[in-house]
Amino acid sequence: MCSIAGFCNHSADYTKEPGRWEDILNQMNQTQKRRGPDESNILLHRKYGFAHNRLSILDPASGHQPMTTTVDGKICSIIYNGELYNMPALRKDL
């Protein structure tokens, strides 16, 4: 079990007050800490903030979240909470 939380507003700029919004994200994580005691991370971007608590069952070395990449010069981030039931087959194919 893991937990996810966050906020998004396309007309906002959360980086103008990073301390305020990071505190809120950390409070969100603390509230749900029991759901994922192995790792906690937050991500603050201009338009969104993500909070994630992780319970490491599979892939403990490379399952860190939030996950971020850059595509065509744009930052893309995701948090994922769930289980892929066909993960072995997908991993083999990918």
Side-chain angles (χ1 to χ4, degrees):
M1 186 182 318
C2 299
S3 70
I4 60 174
F7 45 79
C8 178
N9 182 339
H10 293 285
S11 62
D13 184 353
Y14 295 114
T15 60
K16 288 183 179 179
E17 296 180 88
R20 174 183 177 203
W21 297 107
E22 288 170 352
D23 285 347
I24 290 170
L25 290 168
N26 284 317
Q27 289 173 23
M28 290 174 165
N29 258 357
Q30 190 59 41
T31 299
Q32 302 184 93
K33 184 73 173 170
R34 69 187 187 289
R35 295 182 56 102
D38 296 322
E39 183 178 12
S40 293
N41 288 308
I42 63 168
L43 173 66
L44 185 65
H45 186 266
R46 285 181 42 233
K47 306 295 179 191
Y48 56 83
F50 287 153
H52 184 266
N53 286 309
R54 180 171 181 227
L55 177 63
S56 297
I57 297 173
L58 299 173
D59 202 11
S62 60
H64 308 293
Q65 294 192 54
M67 295 177 267
T68 300
T69 190
T70 302
V71 178
D72 296 330
K74 295 183 180 181
I75 297 172
C76 301
S77 302
I78 187 173
I79 50 177
Y80 177 77
N81 187 23
E83 182 175 346
L84 294 173
Y85 292 101
N86 61 338
M87 189 207 41
L90 288 172
R91 183 172 282 196
K92 181 181 168 189
D93 291 342
L94 298 174

